Amino acid sequence: MHRNTKLAVSVLMATSMIALAGCSAADAGSDSKTLKIVYEKTDSFTALDTLFKKIKPEFEAAHKGVTVNLQPIQANDDDYSTKLALSQQSADTAPDVFYEDTFRLRSDIDAGYLLNLDGHLDGWADWSKFNEGAKGAGMGDDGSTYAVPLGTDTRGIWYSKPVFTKAGIAVPWQPETWADILTAARKIQATQPGVVPFNMYAGKGTGEGTVMQSFYELLYGTGDSLYNENDQKWVVGSKGFKDSLTFLDTLYSEKLAVDPSDALDPNVWKKVFGELFPKGQLGGTVEGSYTPSFWQKGGSYEWPAYVTDMGVAAFPTQNGDAPHGVSMSGGWTLAVGAKTKNADLAFEFLSLALNKENSLWYDINNSQIAVRTDVAADPTYLAANPFVAAVTDLVSVTHYRPATSDYPKISAEVQAATEAVITRQMSVDEASAAYDKAVEAIVGADKVTK
């Protein structure tokens, strides 16, 4: 699934060159050198490609003999990560700088793909401008930093005001419990045939989107969790896990969400953003803070009316218990490859991409929540879209995925459980039991807790 992200073109500051002033042509030496920059690019995510294309000539002009070889990978998140891992197998194909999902970071550190950046960060004045909490996103188990965050995100309920109004539901809308969501969805179903009342992703097709934009909002709202941080063990036999699957089962069995065949399509999100919402055919969905970037000018699905037609609400806890909302946060980073032969140059390219001016542009055009304090305080950032304040407020109720090397395998099992339920291949109890068994097989009996 998309990670969510997007757009397009804008000015990327002449002041970028200042960051390069300290490195003259002589620094690069007379030998020809090539920096391989590997990153994801999709129909909906072009912001990083745009940024790198701007940086490339600036960087090459400041470093005689250096060629920046941009290598975008046209793939969704999961396929991108697979292809990136394959490229890391050989020094001939391994990237010098690459785009890295935070949830794969620990496993990729363990695999030896990322360069330890501590020495480089010590000499980078801008590092002090990064939010202390955000810095942890790029940290390994050893306490060293291996990647620098591009931005972060939160998740909430995005809903159509016209659809809700036609159903007799007052807006702005803020559900207090899961039952409130089902009540609203059933009202929409009863009053507007052909409209999808309330979608939540499920199944393996949407990959990490299934858990980040759906299942975890449910699970963490029950009071249970995926992983016990204190015991450092994975939770099995969880009532909250079953309750979460039951909620998805209700949505899909009552035809309140998209058809299961659509849910299994990795590109269902394109239908959500490009068709259903703009055409008034969807009541609500759980999605990320980056959502406006699809509809903004230059976005994949430009829709100026989103400013007035859309609303955003916090996803509620199961029974309205405090803290009265649930969000998930993730994000992507830039890292330097462990096999690079030009570590200093690679880090210079990374630091140029993440200076204040370029970070500001990227966060605005990709609807990211800023991780640099100077960007977060910038008036241009604060005025980027009408929902910046609301989605930023969700940071106070957000959760993060377990930062362990086992996590990607666990996530895949959660996705499989949701798919088994919505396609009626397994009951909730059967899918939950299959998940518990799979987790124990992955991590070992001594690493699970009930």
Side-chain angles (χ1 to χ4, degrees):
M1 166 118 182
H2 61 296
R3 135 225 46 292
N4 314 310
T5 73
K6 325 355 167 171
L7 327 184
V9 173
S10 189
V11 205
L12 283 177
M13 315 71 198
T15 50
S16 298
M17 294 299 294
I18 297 173
L20 302 175
C23 187
S24 65
D27 292 318
S30 57
D31 295 335
S32 176
K33 296 178 181 178
T34 298
L35 287 181
K36 287 176 283 188
I37 316 297
V38 173
Y39 55 98
E40 184 176 352
K41 180 184 177 184
T42 69
D43 292 342
S44 66
F45 176 51
T46 59
L48 198 57
D49 186 58
T50 301
L51 176 63
F52 285 163
K53 284 179 177 176
K54 174 62 179 176
I55 291 172
K56 172 181 162 69
E58 295 178 4
F59 194 86
E60 290 175 341
H63 298 79
K64 184 180 179 181
V66 174
T67 299
V68 174
N69 181 5
L70 300 181
Q71 298 183 354
I73 294 177
Q74 301 266 358
N76 63 27
D77 290 355
D78 290 340
D79 290 342
Y80 167 75
S81 295
T82 299
K83 293 178 180 180
L84 176 62
L86 288 173
S87 75
Q88 303 275 19
Q89 302 304 308
S90 166
D92 293 333
T93 56
D96 294 286
V97 177
F98 59 97
Y99 183 58
E100 174 80 348
D101 194 337
T102 54
F103 99 93
R104 296 188 186 274
L105 193 115
R106 297 293 176 97
S107 58
D108 285 353
I109 291 172
D110 289 350
Y113 297 157
L114 284 76
L115 184 72
N116 188 315
L117 298 179
D118 286 350
H120 292 87
L121 294 171
D122 286 344
W124 188 33
D126 282 23
W127 190 228
S128 65
K129 299 294 185 182
F130 282 73
N131 178 283
E132 288 301 320
K135 288 180 178 181
M139 194 173 291
D141 291 324
D142 59 0
S144 289
T145 299
Y146 291 82
V148 180
L150 280 154
T152 190
D153 48 30
T154 54
R155 270 80 180 162
I157 299 172
W158 295 86
Y159 64 91
S160 168
K161 292 179 180 179
V163 170
F164 271 56
T165 300
K166 287 179 185 177
I169 303 167
V171 296
W173 176 69
Q174 177 55 65
E176 300 300 325
T177 66
W178 292 2
D180 290 347
I181 294 175
L182 293 176
T183 297
R186 289 163 181 154
K187 285 183 179 179
I188 293 169
Q189 185 182 59
T191 57
Q192 296 164 79
V195 171
V196 177
F198 193 86
N199 184 62
M200 291 184 75
Y201 300 117
K204 294 178 283 190
T206 41
E208 196 65 9
T210 288
V211 290
M212 288 295 282
Q213 280 96 254
S214 179
F215 189 81
Y216 293 161
E217 275 74 20
L218 293 165
L219 178 64
Y220 286 93
T222 68
D224 284 351
S225 63
L226 196 70
Y227 183 73
N228 187 312
E229 294 284 353
N230 293 328
D231 295 341
Q232 295 189 335
K233 292 183 178 182
W234 295 92
V235 178
V236 296
S238 161
K239 181 180 183 298
F241 194 96
K242 289 183 180 182
D243 288 351
S244 301
L245 288 178
T246 298
F247 186 86
L248 291 177
D249 183 40
T250 300
L251 278 182
Y252 280 87
S253 64
E254 292 190 20
K255 302 186 184 304
L256 300 172
V258 297
D259 188 82
S261 62
D262 287 329
L264 302 186
D265 181 356
N267 294 313
V268 64
W269 60 273
K270 293 183 179 181
K271 186 174 183 178
V272 166
F273 292 114
E275 298 178 33
L276 297 180
F277 270 135
K279 293 180 180 179
Q281 296 175 351
L282 176 60
T285 195
V286 183
E287 259 295 356
S289 51
Y290 45 77
T291 289
S293 67
F294 290 107
W295 299 318
Q296 290 170 339
K297 185 177 181 181
S300 300
Y301 310 109
E302 287 190 21
W303 179 41
Y306 88 90
V307 172
T308 54
D309 283 7
M310 294 303 298
V312 66
F315 195 91
T317 52
Q318 183 177 17
N319 299 309
D321 298 330
H324 306 300
V326 183
S327 174
M328 292 299 299
S329 291
W332 289 68
T333 65
L334 293 183
V336 175
K339 293 183 175 71
T340 183
K341 296 177 182 177
N342 300 292
D344 290 346
L345 279 173
F347 184 78
E348 279 198 57
F349 185 89
L350 179 154
S351 61
L352 171 61
L354 296 177
N355 69 14
K356 182 191 174 183
E357 292 78 14
N358 291 335
S359 291
L360 174 63
W361 181 89
Y362 183 82
D363 289 344
I364 289 174
N365 284 273
N366 203 29
S367 288
Q368 292 280 289
I369 292 176
V371 292
R372 286 186 61 123
T373 55
D374 48 0
V375 171
D378 192 286
T380 309
Y381 167 77
L382 295 171
N385 70 67
F387 303 101
V388 169
V391 296
T392 301
D393 285 346
L394 293 175
V395 171
S396 65
V397 294
T398 205
H399 299 263
Y400 295 87
R401 292 164 288 190
T404 75
S405 58
D406 293 319
Y407 172 76
K409 293 179 181 178
I410 305 296
S411 170
E413 294 301 333
V414 178
Q415 296 163 37
T418 66
E419 182 167 316
V421 167
I422 70 161
T423 58
R424 323 301 291 175
Q425 295 177 35
M426 291 184 184
S427 68
V428 166
D429 285 346
E430 290 169 339
S432 182
Y435 168 80
D436 291 347
K437 184 177 179 180
V439 170
E440 186 169 327
I442 291 168
V443 303
D446 61 330
K447 292 293 185 181
V448 299
T449 184
K450 292 189 176 183

